[in-house]
Amino acid sequence: MDFQWYPGHMTKAKRAMQEDIRLVDLVIELLDARAPGSSRNPDIDTLAKGKARLVVLNKADLADESANRAWSDYLSGSGASVLCMDARLGNGKKKVQEGILKACEKKIERDRRRGILNRPVRAMVAGIPNVGKSTFINTLAGRASAKTGNKPGVTRGNQWIRLNKQVELLDTPGILWPKFEDPEAGLKLAWLGSIKEEILNTTGLATELIDFLQRSKPDCLAEHYGILPEAGAERILEQIAEARNCRMKGNEPDTERAAFLLLNDFRSNRLGRITLELPEGGKD
Ligand code: G4P
């Protein structure tokens, strides 16, 4: 399957990130806990060079718990400060504020030695579309301060949200572009709903997902749809259509409707908490 993201958007997003990043001490990099490798933009290391970094494995509530631990250990092992979160819940606020200060320890200490006291750490949130950036900012700020969704063309002035005496957060998140060079990564992001559906072939996406699930979670389709999966993803999609009474005129199984249904069930965790990839050396 071929995935595209308009190069014009990419250039604009990159320029905006480069401008904003100059203003901050810390970049809070949001990854989707269900596919941290695929939702990570490799250019972030260059873009955020010299800045402190806090990695948030967001949507951890949707991902497999042991995989969350494996990713936390792996990313911490490469030197990053890492947190697992459900950005919709306010109870992670304290954890984030502590994470920010820990990630900026060296800078705070440097300031202190230079006699600079009480200068708040300035942070920005960055991540690919739909990873939960606006939700994260809203939760942290405690009010509707960031617009949910990425709205191109909205004029942006830099506004700072004071989280407490020690931390200020830029109210506009940095939008990173998805990683499309690797077709596997594009596929996973499409399953997660991070790529606009209109540009995708839903049935193709669903059959690829069925193949993946049959390999990595062999019982989940049988359990959820009450089917005995037969050979071939196309046939299984028909079985799902039959089980859920998705039919076209003439009583044929409506596989396109079944494909939407399957993707929705997957995205809303009705098939269980599923992580699509493990750190290098792990099995997915
Ligand atoms: P973005 O700014 O990075 O583009 O993402 P945004 O905050 O708009 O979040 C995208 C979707 O992900 C939203 O759902 C949001 O509620 C959901 N979300 C964000 N963080 C988490 C999380 O940690 N766990 C779970 N389960 N969901 C999360 P939506 O259905 O698109 O919108 P809404 O109807 O919830 O507003």
Side-chain angles (χ1 to χ4, degrees):
M1 204 171 287
D2 201 16
F3 300 100
Q4 293 295 333
W5 212 53
Y6 306 110
H9 277 161
M10 221 150 100
T11 317
K12 212 170 149 193
K14 196 166 186 169
R15 207 173 302 129
M17 270 290 287
Q18 275 164 337
E19 275 171 30
D20 286 345
I21 227 159
R22 281 201 293 252
L23 307 169
V24 301
D25 308 300
L26 170 82
V27 176
I28 304 175
E29 184 188 1
L30 256 64
L31 304 180
D32 192 311
R34 294 166 296 174
S38 299
S39 58
R40 180 162 225 209
N41 177 310
D43 292 346
I44 187 76
D45 288 334
T46 319
L47 282 165
K49 198 163 177 219
K51 305 288 174 183
R53 193 98 61 89
L54 173 64
V55 177
V56 172
L57 293 170
N58 195 39
K59 306 198 183 187
D61 56 301
L62 303 177
D64 180 85
E65 276 181 280
S66 60
N68 285 344
R69 281 194 295 276
W71 275 107
S72 286
D73 291 349
Y74 174 77
L75 293 165
S76 311
S78 61
S81 297
V82 187
L83 289 179
C84 285
M85 276 206 65
D86 174 350
R88 296 164 312 162
L89 306 179
N91 59 11
K93 259 162 95 166
K94 194 160 168 267
K95 207 165 68 167
V96 174
Q97 295 191 2
E98 285 168 3
I100 292 176
L101 294 178
K102 187 162 177 289
C104 292
E105 246 167 17
K106 282 196 188 130
K107 185 213 160 306
I108 294 169
E109 177 55 23
R110 216 167 37 236
D111 279 358
R112 203 187 56 78
R113 271 193 264 115
R114 288 183 190 152
I116 307 169
L117 300 174
N118 303 326
R119 196 188 141 238
V121 164
R122 288 191 148 181
M124 75 178 286
V125 173
I128 64 165
N130 208 40
V131 73
K133 300 179 294 299
S134 306
T135 310
F136 181 86
I137 294 176
N138 285 340
T139 301
L140 223 56
R143 64 200 146 87
S145 49
K147 315 230 170 5
T148 305
N150 298 315
K151 297 188 178 60
V154 172
T155 328
R156 20 186 283 140
N158 285 316
Q159 302 262 0
W160 296 95
I161 308 165
R162 181 165 269 250
L163 300 183
N164 56 36
K165 269 195 240 157
Q166 293 162 300
V167 184
E168 286 181 1
L169 187 69
L170 193 63
D171 78 337
T172 316
I175 303 168
L176 294 168
W177 45 100
K179 182 164 137 183
F180 286 139
E181 305 80 45
D182 171 6
E184 274 284 310
L187 193 59
K188 288 172 187 167
L189 295 176
W191 290 340
L192 297 178
S194 295
I195 299 172
K196 286 247 178 304
E197 203 115 297
E198 304 92 78
I199 64 166
L200 299 170
N201 166 355
T202 313
T203 312
L205 210 54
T207 49
E208 301 253 25
L209 179 60
I210 290 173
D211 276 335
F212 174 86
L213 293 172
Q214 285 295 90
R215 279 197 311 273
S216 57
K217 288 251 162 189
D219 297 331
C220 94
L221 294 174
E223 276 167 19
H224 186 72
Y225 296 107
I227 54 173
L228 282 174
E230 291 171 18
E234 278 89 8
R235 176 63 201 130
I236 296 176
L237 194 58
E238 282 176 6
Q239 289 183 291
I240 294 173
E242 284 155 5
R244 287 300 151 98
N245 218 10
C246 304
R247 296 197 181 273
M248 297 188 293
K249 271 191 196 144
N251 222 22
E252 288 292 301
D254 186 343
T255 46
E256 194 168 341
R257 248 178 76 205
F260 274 106
L261 196 129
L262 171 70
L263 288 169
N264 268 333
D265 285 346
F266 170 72
R267 287 171 190 160
S268 49
N269 259 24
R270 285 191 280 270
L271 303 181
R273 294 173 64 162
I274 297 173
T275 299
L276 298 173
E277 58 198 12
L278 286 175
E280 260 165 60
K283 181 177 103 34
D284 66 12

